[in-house]
Amino acid sequence: EPEVTQTPSHQVTQMGQEVILRCVPISNHLYFYWYRQILGQKVEFLVSFYNNEISEKSEIFDDQFSVERPDGSNFTLKIRSTKLEDSAMYFCASSVRGPYNEQFFGPGTRLTVL
Amino acid sequence: GDSVTQMEGPVTLSEEAFLTINCTYTATGYPSLFWYVQYPGEGLQLLLKATKADDKGSNKGFEATYRKETTSFHLEKGSVQVSDSAVYFCALHLNTGNQFYFGTGTSLTVIP
């Protein structure tokens, strides 16, 4: 069964460093998303991406964040200069059509900023 | 604003016990409501959904009814199994945007 994959499963970085979180959505999906969950808090929407551009982003998704689909399979989230408060689990998701339909989630990448 | 509040865990039940995980929502429009489940080491999986008031979503023995009058979407199962041990997330989606709004998740452990 097709699934969304994410790498790495755990990323440890120093404050101020750039990190790139990688996702491979399901191959025939057209909409892509990033969410994050700070430990003990809610899963929060970051950004949605369609047709090679951001379709919606939340207040959390500031200039430190960017997303890219560099080729036909990967979908990446870059954090330019990490802060301690960026430590969280980051989930990638994809859907065939718009977000009203089922979103398929990856297992997440745990980011730890020291 | 739009949000979801769900019962805090962790919840520990014996096998075959009845499960209820409460979820209430606040929404400016008419949301669709979802329950997602996350098994250890895996991603979030859609468990069930309901798109309008009084709809009942069901899957794998789990049920939830969209109650507009109480703004609730409580998850229930009559007889839980050890394999149901997971984290359960309530979520809502408004048709006007891309965002899902998730609750904090409720961890369920079922013991034999």
Side-chain angles (χ1 to χ4, degrees):
Chain A
E1 186 174 333
E3 59 183 14
V4 176
T5 59
Q6 291 185 240
T7 54
S9 57
H10 190 190
Q11 173 88 47
V12 181
T13 189
Q14 296 290 325
M15 190 170 56
Q17 294 297 303
E18 175 183 285
V19 294
I20 297 177
L21 309 183
R22 302 181 190 280
C23 168
V24 179
I26 295 173
S27 62
N28 64 332
H29 286 190
L30 302 177
Y31 295 78
F32 314 110
Y33 315 86
W34 282 101
Y35 295 80
R36 79 172 186 190
Q37 185 181 29
I38 296 171
L39 188 63
Q41 299 185 24
K42 296 185 176 186
V43 176
E44 302 170 293
F45 170 81
L46 293 178
V47 66
S48 60
F49 191 86
Y50 169 71
N51 200 27
N52 282 321
E53 60 183 25
I54 291 173
S55 49
E56 187 173 351
K57 60 183 181 179
S58 70
E59 294 177 354
I60 303 168
F61 195 88
D62 61 21
D63 291 343
Q64 293 296 315
F65 292 90
S66 63
V67 289
E68 190 178 30
R69 189 155 163 82
D71 52 43
S73 60
N74 289 283
F75 179 52
T76 61
L77 174 70
K78 181 191 290 186
I79 307 175
R80 190 170 301 118
S81 177
T82 51
K83 305 186 285 288
L84 295 177
E85 54 266 36
D86 293 328
S87 295
M89 180 72 87
Y90 289 81
F91 293 103
C92 173
S94 67
S95 61
V96 175
R97 296 183 295 275
Y100 182 78
N101 297 280
E102 179 179 355
Q103 294 187 20
F104 292 78
F105 285 79
T109 293
R110 179 165 297 285
L111 175 65
T112 302
V113 182
L114 302 176
Chain B
D2 304 308
S3 67
V4 170
T5 302
Q6 66 180 98
M7 185 172 105
E8 292 196 16
V11 175
T12 302
L13 294 174
S14 297
E15 204 165 22
E16 299 183 3
F18 184 85
L19 169 72
T20 299
I21 300 178
N22 290 337
C23 171
T24 57
Y25 68 90
T26 303
T28 51
Y30 298 96
S32 295
L33 301 172
F34 303 78
W35 277 100
Y36 277 81
V37 58
Q38 184 178 31
Y39 299 103
E42 299 183 18
L44 297 168
Q45 300 174 25
L46 178 65
L47 180 59
L48 53 84
K49 70 179 183 183
T51 58
K52 61 183 187 296
D54 299 326
D55 271 2
K56 178 188 282 188
S58 61
N59 186 25
K60 299 181 181 180
F62 290 89
E63 293 182 342
T65 301
Y66 188 145
R67 301 283 189 202
K68 188 179 175 186
E69 63 276 14
T70 53
T71 61
S72 65
F73 192 55
H74 304 322
L75 182 68
E76 296 182 336
K77 186 173 185 181
S79 177
V80 293
Q81 306 300 311
V82 173
S83 57
D84 294 327
S85 297
V87 182
Y88 293 82
F89 293 89
C90 185
L92 73 82
H93 175 261
L94 296 173
N95 295 340
T96 53
N98 288 294
Q99 296 194 31
F100 269 70
Y101 296 87
F102 284 87
T104 52
T106 301
S107 175
L108 169 67
T109 300
V110 181
I111 54 178

